[in-house]
Amino acid sequence: FEFGTTVACSSWPFSFDDFKQYDWVGARWKWVKSPNAPHAFGGNGAFSLRSRDAMIAALRAWIPPLRGNEDTVLVRTLFEDKDNRISNNLGRKPLLAPPNISEIFAAEEMFDSTRIYPPLGVYHLLRTVPPTNRTALLRACPEARLLFEPLHDPRCALRCPHDPTLL
């Protein structure tokens, strides 16, 4: 849980138990284009569930010089599992959440306005979510209004508080 940039939606209809089979689940990355790319699975780490055992196994298997943010490096390491080093340490292949599960869990840059329930977590100001989808998310998860002022785009129908102490 990345402090200061994340909120939890109180009306989320799932439980953490629904995700316990995954070694990593976080919001789907918008920039991933191929459905088979390593980063199509797992998701952003700012608000994520991670298996302690898988994280320890990944760190033990990590071979520098992979570069990038901590979440992209760990997800790629878990996904690729070169030489089965993580699988051997875990006793099984690491399991990263597929995109449809990542979307149920959290939203960073993507949200489908046709959804009837919010994700559990919303973070990083939803800077690339289209106004219609942003409005739908703010209706489904009013807590997300604490993160940002959506009126920088007048097509967003909901107004956020202007009190800077809430940000």
Side-chain angles (χ1 to χ4, degrees):
F1 190 96
E2 190 173 283
F3 181 75
T5 64
T6 308
V7 296
C9 303
S10 61
S11 59
W12 189 57
F14 300 96
S15 101
F16 286 112
D17 286 343
D18 296 324
F19 300 89
K20 68 183 178 185
Q21 70 269 31
Y22 299 105
D23 292 307
W24 185 294
V25 59
R28 186 172 163 202
W29 279 303
K30 182 178 182 175
W31 50 266
V32 175
K33 301 301 181 204
S34 169
N36 297 318
H39 294 102
F41 299 87
N44 189 290
F47 185 79
S48 56
L49 286 177
R50 307 173 191 196
S51 154
R52 179 182 182 276
D53 292 341
M55 294 304 100
I56 291 170
L59 290 171
R60 286 185 176 146
W62 181 67
I63 300 171
L66 284 177
R67 297 186 193 271
N69 295 334
E70 148 276 335
D71 54 357
T72 59
V73 168
L74 282 168
V75 164
R76 183 177 198 116
T77 301
L78 288 165
F79 182 83
E80 291 179 345
D81 192 16
K82 293 189 183 342
D83 304 322
N84 291 317
R85 294 174 65 191
I86 298 170
S87 298
N88 293 338
N89 285 327
L90 265 180
R92 60 177 173 75
K93 184 168 176 49
L95 183 60
L96 286 83
N100 63 317
I101 298 297
S102 292
E103 288 177 6
I104 290 169
F105 183 75
E108 176 197 22
E109 297 182 297
M110 303 169 72
F111 183 77
D112 179 357
S113 63
T114 63
R115 285 180 47 178
I116 57 172
Y117 53 83
L120 170 60
V122 176
Y123 52 92
H124 287 177
L125 310 181
L126 300 167
R127 61 190 175 269
T128 60
V129 175
T132 301
N133 294 6
R134 186 179 299 140
T135 297
L137 178 56
L138 291 172
R139 284 194 175 116
C141 179
E143 296 88 350
R145 295 180 197 186
L146 297 174
L147 290 177
F148 67 101
E149 169 60 72
L151 290 179
H152 65 276
D153 187 327
R155 294 173 294 171
C156 188
L158 296 177
R159 189 174 213 33
C160 291
H162 290 288
D163 182 352
T165 64
L166 296 175
L167 302 176

